[in-house]
Amino acid sequence: ISCDWSSDVCSSDLFKDVAETIMDKLRGGSARRDIVTIVGMAGQGKTTLAKTIYNDPLIQYDFHISAWCCISQVYKKRKLLLDILSHIVTRDTIITMSDEDLGERLWKCLKGHKYLIVIDDIWDSKAWYDIERFFPDDNNGSRIMFTSRIHDVALQVKPNSNPLHLRP
């Protein structure tokens, strides 16, 4: 693990073990596309921890494509697709596309690549179900990482899982 522990959130041993666990889940495990979820109260450091991990050189090296987007309480499918795609292609080339064309373009861009997509602050599993089909599973270790305040959202997105809860 090579996290930059200089940030306030990651500098404590309290979050260091959680970060190491998350990095292990992102870099190891099944070759199938998998979902890793960080759950905790507002202001607890979920986003900061996820950003530190996302920007870690080992994580960036491991994935061919990486993208970050934030959903929040009210989401729009189009904005979500544009946010993700703008990390991969020039925004000018996609801004006029329909939602369905955006999704198809995302799928084509990700197909065959090992990718990490971070979806920050998801409040409703419907947001995931609206875009899930645009993330191919090529058995190459691709990962989706969510942050959420709501434990049930994590379980709806990935039943029978153990979301990682940040300790207060």
Side-chain angles (χ1 to χ4, degrees):
I1 306 295
S2 71
C3 261
D4 174 13
W5 303 112
S6 61
S7 74
D8 291 338
V9 168
C10 291
S11 63
S12 75
D13 289 333
L14 189 63
F15 287 108
K16 194 172 191 175
D17 64 326
V18 175
E20 289 172 355
T21 299
I22 294 166
M23 289 181 70
D24 288 345
K25 287 180 181 257
L26 293 175
R27 298 183 71 223
S30 170
R32 301 286 318 246
R33 183 193 73 199
D34 199 7
I35 299 170
V36 176
T37 308
I38 304 169
V39 177
M41 297 180 298
Q44 201 168 11
K46 299 176 299 297
T47 299
T48 302
L49 180 61
K51 259 194 180 148
T52 300
I53 293 166
Y54 175 81
N55 290 319
D56 184 90
L58 280 179
I59 294 297
Q60 289 295 310
Y61 177 80
D62 250 18
F63 295 93
H64 308 146
I65 296 172
S66 58
W68 180 285
C69 65
C70 184
I71 294 183
S72 293
Q73 208 163 1
V74 178
Y75 83 97
K76 297 204 182 323
K77 180 179 177 180
R78 177 174 188 75
K79 182 187 178 316
L80 187 55
L81 291 169
L82 283 168
D83 285 351
I84 295 169
L85 268 168
S86 66
H87 287 274
I88 304 168
V89 298
T90 308
R91 193 172 180 98
D92 295 344
T93 63
I94 57 173
I95 198 75
T96 60
M97 296 173 91
S98 71
D99 292 1
E100 201 55 37
D101 288 343
L102 288 170
E104 186 178 318
R105 177 76 184 266
L106 177 60
W107 189 87
K108 286 178 180 177
C109 287
L110 297 177
K111 184 72 179 152
H113 296 280
K114 183 177 181 182
Y115 58 85
L116 170 63
I117 308 296
V118 178
I119 302 175
D120 185 37
D121 201 19
I122 186 168
W123 284 69
D124 187 345
S125 58
K126 184 180 181 321
W128 169 243
Y129 297 129
D130 276 353
I131 62 169
E132 176 182 21
R133 64 192 166 109
F134 303 126
F135 297 99
D137 184 356
D138 293 320
N139 287 317
N140 61 4
S142 292
R143 300 289 184 257
I144 315 276
M145 183 166 51
F146 290 125
T147 68
S148 183
R149 300 174 189 194
I150 306 165
H151 176 81
D152 287 347
V153 169
L155 291 178
Q156 290 167 7
V157 166
K158 187 178 176 188
N160 303 317
S161 68
N162 290 318
L164 294 158
H165 289 271
L166 293 187
R167 295 179 292 272

